[in-house]
Amino acid sequence: MSRIVGIDLGTTNSLVAYMDHGIPRVISARDERAMVPSVVSLTDNGLIVGDPAKEHLTRNPERTVYSVKRFMGKSLADVQGELAYFPYTLTEKGGVIRIQLGEKSYSPPQISAMILKELKLRAEAFLGESITKAVITVPAYFNDSQRQATKDAGMIAGLEVLRIINEPTAASLAYGLQEKTQGTIAVYDLGGGTFDISILKLKNGIFEVLATNGDTHLGGDDFDQQIADLFLAEIRAQYGLDLSTHPDHMQAVRLEAERTKIRLSSELKTTASLDLPDGKGRFTRELTRDQLDGLCTALVERTLGPCRLALNDSGLAPGDIDEVGLVGGSTRMPLVRQRVRTLFGKQPHCELNPDEVVALGAAVQADILSGGTTDMLLLDVTPLSLGIETMGGVMSSLIRRNTTIPASAKEMFTTYVDGQTGVDIHILQGERELAKDNRSLARFRLKVPPLPAGVPRIEVTFLIDANGILNVMAKDMRTGETQSIEVKPSYGLSDQEVERMIEDSFKFAADDVSARKLIEARLDAGALIITTEKSLADGGHLVSAEEADTIRAAVATLTTAKDGTDPRAIRARMADLEQAAKGLTVAMLDDSLKQGLQGKKVSEVTQE
Amino acid sequence: MRLRGIFFSLSERQSMNAHTHSTDDRCENTDDRRELQMARSMCWHCQSEMAGEYFCDRCVKVQPVSKDLDYFTCFGLPRRLALDPQTLETKFYELSRAFHPDFYQNKSDAEQTISLGNSAMLNTAYRTLRDPIQRAEYLLDLEAGSVKDIRTTPPADLFEEILDLQDTLDEFRASERASEHASTLRTKLHADRAVLEQRQRDMEAQLQQLFSRWDALQDRAEVTEQARVERGRILKDMRDILSNRTYVKNIVNDLVATIA
Ligand SMILES: Nc1ncnc2c1ncn2[C@@H]1O[C@H](COP(=O)(O)OP(=O)(O)O)[C@@H](O)[C@H]1O
Ligand SMILES: [Mg+2]
């Protein structure tokens, strides 16, 4: 089976990891962080992703998309309240948000697919093979539409998404692998845009999730916003400047707010500084950690409610938790650590890098799926109750939240009027009484043969699979016939739309010849670097020290070229490297021929 | 969510209710359940005789868990109400390792479908048996073939109290939260809550006794008329208390939600 990678598709940062002989490792492009900022920018040279795109946040704010994860599986109405904060233009088509970039508009799964493609390329360059399968993580509290949107993003990126797995549970796999822990653990995951809490029981390699809860709209971005709002208000008061009419400056404020927040995780006080437009000079402001805590307390408090609910649902008290694991960049904030410590009454764990642990866990899950790891098994739950709308607009729950998945429920439907030929079914997700207060997942019409009222009996099976995604099947109990159900998801792309986006993504790539050339050159260069390094390690002793140094220098030059954007330069440096390594290649070939002959003798001897 | 038109048989419950739902409820009260299980005992893949429990001895393919298999049998446990949670958990983990879709990723579509169906069934079975109340309700369903008996009026001995409580609740909902009147009502509601919760605990203790009596009777396995009558009585008592308990529990939940 071909290799499956694990991907953490984060609001702020994304990573890809793989399993290296039983140890999960994140993949980084050389000399770079493993983290790829989840930012996509449309520049004059086409679409770019990651660190280079991040630079365009202030240069080109209207054409630079960040935090796209907030929009996955959402309608415009869902995010109305925060639209003002985003410099790029959002519209809606068919219940799905579209992001305007230049002439074209893209759905959030398409933007996410660009990030996934970048990770795919990195993995391919590093591993020297083509990657087509992945496990992708999502916040545990993601609903069905958000999970489906993530799966669509994978497909658009040319990845078969073998499993959608929850971020905190993925983290627990990485933790569990390291510590071989037994007992009850809580994983507290606070990233840039989402918060999750999961309570698990670990026993003999089984990771059983007892309960999960969270908030898909709470994270470091919100802390940044608090600080930014403070700066903006003061700039208005002191300089009479309204920066909201300057998208580039708005982004600069947001970024400086984030940097200030991060510095205050290790310092007690710091100074923020911003260039102002219209020749108004610089705005500087000192901020102390106490002041930051004051700005963020209410937000951090908001994470505690879900923690209590999760404890309650798992029938546990804070004292029953043996270990608390921290995940996500925002758990570096001292205030967050302190509140978590108080709630659970114990020092939380943070041995594993909170930025990487989710991707590492995804790689472990990938290895389980490919049959490599066989002693571990994750039993996850569905975060939200699933039900249907019944008479009077009430939600009737079919599968309760925190039910272990896969989970199924059946419901029998009949008619109320003679000759009725259809029953409308409205599927919902959420915890509220009334249908209208819950998330609408889909509506569909069940076809019924025209018979007297109450005679038809159609059994509908609702099955939540191991990805936490719903599948619906129907069967006529009288005839035993199965029925094909045509539905339109309330918030999501239809199968046809996904198909078209996959085609488009190939088409765009083909159109954009130079981008394609760059990608290929980078891939080839990555493979060449890896083989050369392997040759140096295995056969470096066969050539002189000077020759080895020349090869190393050529590797370094190629590496730099590879990180650049000129495919021709990369090809040229590849040729240089091949030339420099010629002697080594020949020497190794000779050596292996010799070894081969010797080897033969040895085996002949042993055979006697 | 993608809704698919494929049909797939996990467990089909021939429910007579027109619009009622069951979370994977299975098993009719048929005496020939065993026979049905036998009748199925041919491997779906190689058609050889099935001796093994969930896997074919010959081709080692996973087999769909029969829809006629009750949860107790599925876990290899006797049909008793006292149940060691540790044993149940161990067996659940063991079967999860046997059925979970994670371990069928490289297998055929047919096997993946069976794995998914079996896992979903297993999870429902575990959830049902793990909780003493759900376990008893399930056993009642198996033994007496009864769908849960849903109460809509208060149990006789609590009739007055509950009508009073409902009035207080209505009054509280209508009152100004910060007012003194509301605070008096709140105190009263707290007291009512304590009473009802105590009542719930009493019923649970009674149930415990019934459970033990039931198990003892089953252990003796007598086939006398007297034993039959006794069994019928225990089941009826259990059903009454279970439905009263559910009723009281719902009232308490409503109360807690209102004063929260
Ligand atoms: N040292 C730090 N102190 C406080 N916040 C931090 C620190 N490092 C990173 N963050 C915040 O963590 C968030 C990103 O966390 P990450 O786990 O990468 O997010 P996501 O999973 O949403 O992509 C950002 O809001 C960032 O500002
Ligand atoms: Mg994250």
Side-chain angles (χ1 to χ4, degrees), chain A residues 99 108 135 163 197 374 411 525 536 556 568:
Chain A
I99 297 158
V135 168
R163 182 59 52 83
I197 176 79
T374 51
E411 179 95 12
L536 269 176
R568 211 175 297 176

Side-chain angles (χ1 to χ4, degrees), chain A residues 141-455:
Chain A
Y141 218 53
F142 253 23
N143 66 26
D144 188 274
S145 323
Q146 293 168 302
R147 283 167 199 269
Q148 190 64 60
T150 306
K151 221 175 161 189
D152 292 343
M155 281 169 69
I156 297 167
L159 287 168
E160 187 187 345
V161 183
L162 293 186
R163 182 59 52 83
I164 294 288
I165 141 172
N166 295 328
E167 284 156 14
T169 24
S172 78
L173 284 178
Y175 265 109
L177 191 69
Q178 221 208 4
E179 310 217 341
K180 300 274 174 235
T181 334
Q182 307 271 333
T184 310
I185 66 164
V187 180
Y188 179 103
D189 179 355
L190 190 61
T194 58
F195 167 66
D196 274 332
I197 176 79
S198 284
I199 311 238
L200 297 101
K201 180 162 161 184
L202 269 60
K203 198 169 176 183
N204 304 327
I206 301 264
F207 291 61
E208 186 190 1
V209 179
L210 301 176
T212 204
N213 212 298
D215 187 333
T216 55
H217 254 71
L218 178 59
D221 288 359
D222 300 289
F223 302 149
D224 302 346
Q225 200 56 57
Q226 291 291 319
I227 306 169
D229 285 346
L230 176 79
F231 291 172
L232 291 170
E234 291 181 352
I235 290 169
R236 199 175 307 120
Q238 286 172 32
Y239 300 88
L241 262 179
D242 178 9
L243 290 189
S244 64
T245 55
H246 301 260
D248 48 341
H249 286 271
M250 287 293 280
Q251 287 309 305
V253 172
R254 191 177 67 82
L255 292 171
E256 180 62 7
E258 184 186 13
R259 282 190 292 267
T260 306
K261 171 190 77 176
I262 290 176
R263 283 199 301 274
L264 286 175
S265 287
S266 50
E267 293 158 33
L268 289 173
K269 120 177 139 193
T270 188
T271 304
S273 147
L274 283 160
D275 277 326
L276 296 174
D278 309 339
K280 300 263 178 147
R282 279 185 88 70
F283 166 81
T284 59
R285 192 208 199 272
E286 193 184 82
L287 200 72
T288 66
R289 187 183 289 171
D290 283 344
Q291 287 169 328
L292 173 73
D293 290 356
L295 289 172
C296 300
T297 304
L299 289 166
V300 177
E301 286 299 316
R302 261 175 59 196
T303 66
L304 303 181
C307 291
R308 294 195 187 96
L309 285 173
L311 278 168
N312 204 34
D313 280 358
S314 45
L316 297 172
D320 297 329
I321 303 294
D322 299 314
E323 318 256 358
V324 182
L326 294 181
V327 181
S330 299
T331 60
R332 290 209 179 85
M333 267 176 76
L335 174 67
V336 172
R337 293 198 171 179
Q338 182 226 315
R339 295 304 290 123
V340 174
R341 193 175 53 230
T342 329
L343 177 69
F344 291 101
K346 57 183 58 74
Q347 195 64 36
H349 273 261
C350 27
E351 291 83 36
L352 287 179
N353 184 338
D355 300 324
E356 295 181 352
V357 60
V358 170
L360 295 176
V364 175
Q365 179 65 35
D367 201 48
I368 296 174
L369 295 182
S370 56
T373 301
T374 51
D375 56 341
M376 292 164 89
L377 173 62
L378 180 59
L379 300 174
D380 218 322
V381 299
T382 181
L384 299 158
S385 298
L386 180 98
I388 48 173
E389 178 169 351
T390 56
M391 297 281 242
V394 173
M395 163 156 156
S396 150
S397 171
L398 295 173
I399 298 177
R400 299 271 305 149
R401 69 164 185 272
N402 292 325
T403 296
T404 307
I405 51 174
S408 72
K410 290 175 191 306
E411 179 95 12
M412 195 69 71
F413 291 92
T414 189
T415 49
Y416 295 99
V417 184
D418 287 347
Q420 186 181 337
T421 55
V423 176
D424 290 318
I425 298 179
H426 186 196
I427 309 180
L428 304 157
Q429 206 169 23
E431 309 310 320
R432 306 281 298 276
E433 280 291 300
L434 295 182
K436 68 174 174 53
D437 296 326
N438 290 301
R439 183 80 184 165
S440 166
L441 293 186
R443 289 171 192 275
F444 66 94
R445 168 159 272 245
L446 205 58
K447 284 195 228 79
V448 182
L451 287 168
V455 173

Side-chain angles (χ1 to χ4, degrees), chain B:
Chain B
M1 173 186 49
R2 291 288 135 79
L3 295 118
R4 306 221 166 73
I6 17 153
F7 165 64
F8 147 153
S9 159
L10 283 176
S11 69
E12 296 123 42
R13 180 169 199 267
Q14 304 274 336
S15 166
M16 295 312 291
N17 304 46
H19 189 136
T20 177
H21 71 261
S22 57
T23 308
D24 233 345
D25 271 4
R26 34 185 46 225
C27 294
E28 270 72 82
N29 185 28
T30 43
D31 288 330
D32 46 15
R33 185 176 299 112
R34 283 269 152 210
E35 264 164 52
L36 275 170
Q37 212 186 315
M38 292 296 144
R40 183 197 62 102
S41 56
M42 198 201 262
C43 170
W44 62 270
H45 182 249
C46 70
Q47 266 84 47
S48 66
E49 190 84 2
M50 274 278 301
E53 230 183 334
Y54 299 119
F55 292 88
C56 172
D57 290 336
R58 172 101 74 75
C59 68
V60 223
K61 296 263 187 272
V62 66
Q63 303 295 314
V65 174
S66 162
K67 60 178 178 166
D68 301 302
L69 195 68
D70 73 78
Y71 297 161
F72 292 95
T73 316
C74 169
F75 279 95
L77 294 166
R79 205 185 280 186
R80 299 289 183 274
L81 287 166
L83 193 155
D84 174 32
Q86 219 49 59
T87 314
L88 185 69
E89 184 191 81
T90 307
K91 193 70 193 171
F92 171 62
Y93 286 168
E94 191 187 309
L95 290 172
S96 293
R97 283 188 187 278
F99 294 146
H100 199 278
D102 276 10
F103 302 131
Y104 290 82
Q105 202 70 45
N106 304 328
K107 301 276 169 67
S108 67
D109 284 353
E111 285 163 279
Q112 290 193 15
T113 306
I114 294 171
S115 136
L116 192 58
N118 284 4
S119 290
M121 187 285 301
L122 176 68
N123 289 333
T124 310
Y126 182 53
R127 193 172 56 250
T128 309
L129 292 191
R130 190 174 44 182
D131 176 60
I133 299 293
Q134 281 190 53
R135 190 193 309 150
E137 284 169 351
Y138 178 67
L139 182 112
L140 258 176
D141 194 4
L142 285 180
E143 295 291 340
S146 75
V147 182
K148 250 192 273 176
D149 162 19
I150 303 190
R151 251 193 181 287
T152 46
T153 51
D157 56 334
L158 279 172
F159 203 83
E160 293 296 324
E161 272 129 302
I162 287 184
L163 289 192
D164 275 355
L165 169 69
Q166 258 146 7
D167 287 343
T168 320
L169 274 176
D170 287 343
E171 212 180 316
F172 179 75
R173 285 195 190 98
S175 69
E176 192 65 54
R177 281 304 140 97
S179 72
E180 202 167 306
H181 183 52
S183 120
T184 322
L185 290 173
R186 186 188 290 272
T187 316
K188 180 167 177 336
L189 286 171
H190 274 292
D192 287 348
R193 173 182 173 181
V195 171
L196 287 179
E197 281 176 343
Q198 182 54 47
R199 176 67 211 202
Q200 199 182 317
R201 278 192 296 274
D202 292 346
M203 287 193 276
E204 279 158 15
Q206 281 173 306
L207 280 172
Q208 268 313 324
Q209 285 185 352
L210 287 171
F211 293 172
S212 314
R213 275 172 58 200
W214 171 264
D215 286 354
L217 206 60
Q218 292 296 89
D219 287 342
R220 288 204 298 278
E222 287 167 28
V223 281
T224 59
E225 175 63 12
Q226 196 193 350
R228 200 187 61 79
V229 171
E230 171 75 355
R231 281 165 47 135
R233 197 160 48 221
I234 297 179
L235 289 175
K236 185 187 171 303
D237 288 353
M238 257 196 299
R239 181 184 341 202
D240 288 347
I241 302 179
L242 281 170
S243 65
N244 283 352
R245 179 193 164 276
T246 307
Y247 186 88
V248 170
K249 191 169 163 247
N250 288 341
I251 300 263
V252 172
N253 287 348
D254 188 29
L255 196 160
V256 170
T258 309
I259 55 181

